[in-house]
Amino acid sequence: MQNIATTVMNNLKTWARVNSPWAIHFNSGSCNGCDIEILATLTPRYDVERFGIKLQGSPRHADVLICTGPVTRQARERLLRVYEQMPEPKFVVAVGSCGLSGGVFQGSYNIIGSIDEVLPVNAYIPGCPPRPEAIIQGVVALLESLKPPKE
Ligand code: SF4
C-alpha cells in the first residue's frame, strides 16, 4: 500500500514539474546574442509560457537553469552559487555555441570553457545564437525526458 502511495506521489510530482517548470536565466559570459533570443522566447511572440515555463528571479524557486555563454573566470563562482541554491531535482540547459564549447571565445585568457566544465548539463542547444524555436525545442525535449516511461 505504501509503495502505491509513494509511486502516485512521485508521479504527481513529476507531472507538476513537467507541466510547470520554473526557469532562471544566467549569463556566464555571453555576448548577449543568446540572451536576446531567450528574451524573445519568454515574451509574447514565442510565448514559452504556453508550455507552463515561467521565468523565475530566485534560484531557490527554480527547477531549470538556462545558461548562456562560455564561463568566464569572473562568473564561475556566481554560476556555482546560483546552481547550489536551486532545490533538487534541478536541471541545466546550455544555450549557444559558446556555452557548448567556448565558441568564439575559446582560448581567451579569461575563459574557463564550456558550461559543462563547471556544471552537469542536461540539455544542449547549439547555434550562434540559437533561434527561439530551437530553444523551445531543447527545453521541451528536456521536459519530455523527465516523464516516466509509458507502460
Ligand atoms: S553563441 Fe554566438 S550569440 Fe551566443 S554568446 Fe556565443 S557569440 Fe554570442
Side-chain angles (χ1 to χ4, degrees), residues 50-81:
R50 69 195 138 118
F51 300 110
I53 300 164
K54 183 177 171 292
L55 187 66
Q56 177 51 243
S58 166
R60 292 185 177 89
H61 301 151
D63 306 298
V64 182
L65 172 61
I66 300 176
C67 193
T68 59
V71 183
T72 64
R73 293 187 195 287
Q74 189 185 30
R76 182 179 177 277
E77 283 306 309
R78 287 169 204 161
L79 177 59
L80 283 170
R81 217 177 303 155

